[in-house]
Amino acid sequence: MSASVPATLVRVLGASVRLGNVTALRRVSLAVNRGDVIALVGANGSGKTTLLRLLHGLVDAGGARRLDDPGAVQAMVFQRPFMLNMTVWNNLRLALWLARRRVPRAEAAQRAYEALQRVGLLESRDRPARVLSGGEQQRFALARAWAVRPDLLLLDEPTANLDPSAKKEVEALLHGFAADGMTLVMSTHNLGQAKRLATRVIYLDHGEIRLDAPTARFFGASADDRARLFLKGELPWALE
Amino acid sequence: MNEFAQSARSALDLIVHADAALVRTVALSLAVSGTACACAAAFGLIGGAWLAVARFRALPILILLLNTLLALPSVVVGLAVYLLLSRSGPLGAWGILFTPAAMVIAQTILVLPVVAALARQLVADAMVEGGDPLRSMGAGPLVSALLMLAHERWAVVTLLLTAFGRAISEVGAVMIVGGNIEGVTRVMTTAIALETSKGDLPLALALGLVLLGVVAVLNVGIAVIQRGRFMAPLIEAR
């Protein structure tokens, strides 16, 4: 049998990140374990996006990020999906070409086909990607990420600015990914969504992790006063 | 006024009857400027894209220098290329002074900074939106930059048409390195200068009209491309 697979995919240890004059993250530590579905919650500017970017390696934190399984594949879906000025199909093939070290060439076309089928965009394959609706663009971004079969998928507010129907479609896809064993870390302002999808909730406040708890505990009697205020919709900055 | 009207009539006559000297001059102009733009595009687009993503200490100085070269006077380029290609110059052995090849080199040098500087800005702006997502997908800096050129291909075409407009309308550099030799290196701008000094206003005017026509066609091309670029999503969305 093969060597055991590390239970933790990526961890950050005491990471602090400054963006210009602003400290976006302060001494943040966490471990993302296989099978986790983590919701990052917190007010605007609390550091959710920076933490996602740090986990993905897009932000340098001076060696505070450690990959326990360097072979694990990561993908990220950004809040505003970026698509090149070409068709849906070509955007997907390009993403698979860029991931060619991880995706065998012979499988690329089949994977692209399956990915579009999974998100219900197969019939839109020849349309310019940039004219898709907001919900379709987000589904396409999920298809593009799913096509490389990531072990860890990071999502930055994947349902922001979507109508309720599109939100539901995206949530159903994320639920399916998680059911397939994919590890998810997503930032969200939608506490209902966090409750529905996440197994673990991390509450960030002013760049610090104030609470990292299983979902049931977070939405139950959470220990942190500021998290409780956040859940009640009372923004901490307004009370200071 | 009467002389102008008469010259204009004669000029139109030359154009309508496709005067051989006129056609030869126009063809050479298009060939020289088109080749120069193709050469400048080959180096300038890739170089500009690279500058948009490169990170090294002297980068700000290089960008400052490149932007300064946007205003490079064509006579200065002509003089520099003349010194390089003249018999006693470092490239004198090539023996291409007063040939169309020398004119292509001069115009390439003239429009290269235009192509590179505009391409750098274009890619840098596009990377603000797409840099991180492409990096996330596994694209390196140069691959990302080249993908951005493909992404912004309509803007690239506009950029190249702008460079072609600069090349075909300049007179100083081609006059110095080409020598304005009839049938060999005479292009529209040098012919206009010569015919005006000789008092052959109809031919000068005809060439001027053709030159304006070429620039007008370029502008129409830019407008069509931009219209297509902005209209395509609307048509698709219906």
Side-chain angles (χ1 to χ4, degrees):
Chain A
M1 193 61 197
S2 61
S4 63
V5 180
T8 299
L9 287 168
V10 57
R11 69 180 78 214
V12 288
L13 301 164
S16 293
V17 175
R18 284 185 70 82
L19 301 174
N21 293 326
V22 178
T23 302
L25 292 176
R26 295 168 202 271
R27 299 176 301 282
V28 165
S29 296
L30 87 150
V32 178
N33 302 315
R34 271 181 203 281
D36 276 346
V37 178
I38 300 175
L40 303 178
V41 299
N44 286 330
S46 58
K48 302 185 296 294
T49 299
T50 307
L51 181 53
L52 283 172
R53 288 163 53 83
L54 173 64
L55 288 168
H56 197 35
L58 293 174
V59 171
D60 181 28
R65 169 180 178 259
R66 203 174 80 197
L67 294 171
D68 286 61
D69 183 358
V73 176
Q74 283 194 18
M76 183 161 174
V77 172
F78 292 79
Q79 190 175 345
R80 287 179 56 201
F82 174 75
M83 274 154 285
L84 287 159
N85 204 353
M86 52 177 76
T87 64
V88 167
W89 180 253
N90 286 338
N91 263 283
L92 198 46
R93 290 303 304 269
L94 177 74
L96 288 165
W97 177 77
L98 289 172
R100 59 195 176 280
R101 288 195 198 115
R102 306 187 298 256
V103 181
R105 198 174 167 186
E107 281 182 28
Q110 183 62 25
R111 282 206 194 184
Y113 183 89
E114 287 171 5
L116 289 181
Q117 195 170 39
R118 177 150 195 174
V119 303
L121 285 175
L122 201 51
E123 288 181 0
S124 299
R125 55 181 281 175
D126 295 323
R127 292 174 65 198
R130 290 172 82 87
V131 304
L132 296 177
S133 69
E136 286 173 329
Q137 289 200 4
Q138 201 58 270
R139 273 155 53 207
F140 170 73
L142 288 172
R144 187 167 57 183
W146 181 80
V148 298
R149 305 285 193 272
D151 299 283
L152 172 60
L153 178 59
L154 303 146
L155 306 116
D156 190 6
E157 299 189 34
T159 57
N161 307 319
L162 297 185
D163 63 44
S165 151
K167 263 183 195 156
K168 208 171 166 184
E169 288 169 355
V170 170
E171 276 191 26
L173 285 168
L174 293 179
H175 198 269
F177 292 175
D180 290 347
M182 195 183 287
T183 304
L184 307 177
V185 182
M186 56 185 276
S187 65
T188 184
H189 284 292
N190 185 332
L191 295 175
Q193 186 174 68
K195 207 170 182 175
R196 283 190 294 277
L197 290 175
T199 57
R200 183 176 154 196
V201 180
I202 294 176
Y203 171 59
L204 284 146
D205 180 31
H206 290 87
E208 289 182 56
I209 292 182
R210 303 298 293 242
L211 187 65
D212 179 351
T215 306
R217 204 184 113 207
F218 182 85
F219 287 102
S222 60
D224 188 277
D225 289 342
R226 292 170 79 91
R228 205 173 298 136
L229 288 172
F230 177 75
L231 283 173
K232 285 165 66 182
E234 294 169 6
L235 297 172
W237 57 263
L239 301 170
E240 283 168 356
Chain B
M1 187 62 202
N2 196 23
E3 189 184 7
F4 181 83
Q6 200 177 347
S7 296
R9 220 175 5 256
S10 304
L12 285 174
D13 200 44
L14 287 172
I15 294 168
V16 169
H17 291 98
D19 176 75
L22 181 73
V23 170
R24 196 168 52 236
T25 306
V26 171
L28 184 64
S29 293
L30 294 174
V32 167
S33 298
T35 310
C37 278
C39 295
F43 295 104
L45 290 178
I46 294 172
W50 174 72
L51 280 176
V53 293
R55 296 288 173 268
F56 56 93
R57 195 181 290 265
L59 183 65
I61 296 168
L62 200 58
I63 292 171
L64 184 73
L65 186 68
L66 184 64
N67 289 337
T68 305
L69 290 176
L70 285 173
L72 194 60
S74 58
V75 285
V76 173
V77 174
L79 179 63
V81 175
Y82 179 90
L83 292 172
L84 281 173
L85 297 179
S86 63
R87 200 169 287 277
S88 57
L91 304 177
W94 290 6
I96 58 169
L97 194 61
F98 305 127
T99 67
M103 296 156 75
V104 168
I105 291 172
Q107 287 199 345
T108 301
I109 294 170
L110 193 65
V111 297
L112 186 61
V114 177
V115 176
L118 295 181
R120 187 200 72 79
Q121 194 60 52
L122 189 71
V123 171
D125 290 346
M127 289 294 277
V128 172
E129 187 196 0
D132 275 351
L134 286 173
R135 194 173 147 204
S136 163
M137 285 188 266
L142 188 58
V143 171
S144 295
L146 295 177
L147 284 172
M148 285 307 184
L149 281 180
H151 177 59
E152 296 286 354
R153 53 193 172 279
W154 300 119
V156 169
V157 173
T158 308
L159 181 164
L160 292 178
L161 289 175
T162 305
F164 184 76
R166 164 107 160 107
I168 203 159
S169 59
E170 75 85 22
V171 59
V174 283
M175 181 73 92
I176 294 172
V177 302
N180 197 18
I181 303 165
E182 188 177 10
V184 182
T185 58
R186 184 161 297 170
V187 290
M188 283 190 281
T189 49
T190 57
I192 290 169
L194 178 72
E195 300 305 333
T196 305
S197 67
K198 278 163 54 182
D200 186 357
L201 297 183
L203 183 56
L205 205 54
L207 286 162
L209 288 172
V210 172
L211 188 56
L212 271 177
V214 169
V215 175
V217 166
L218 286 180
N219 279 320
V220 169
I222 291 171
V224 167
I225 286 166
Q226 287 182 337
R227 187 167 182 272
R229 181 186 169 198
F230 292 118
M231 292 301 284
L234 298 177
I235 293 164
E236 164 68 25
R238 274 182 200 149

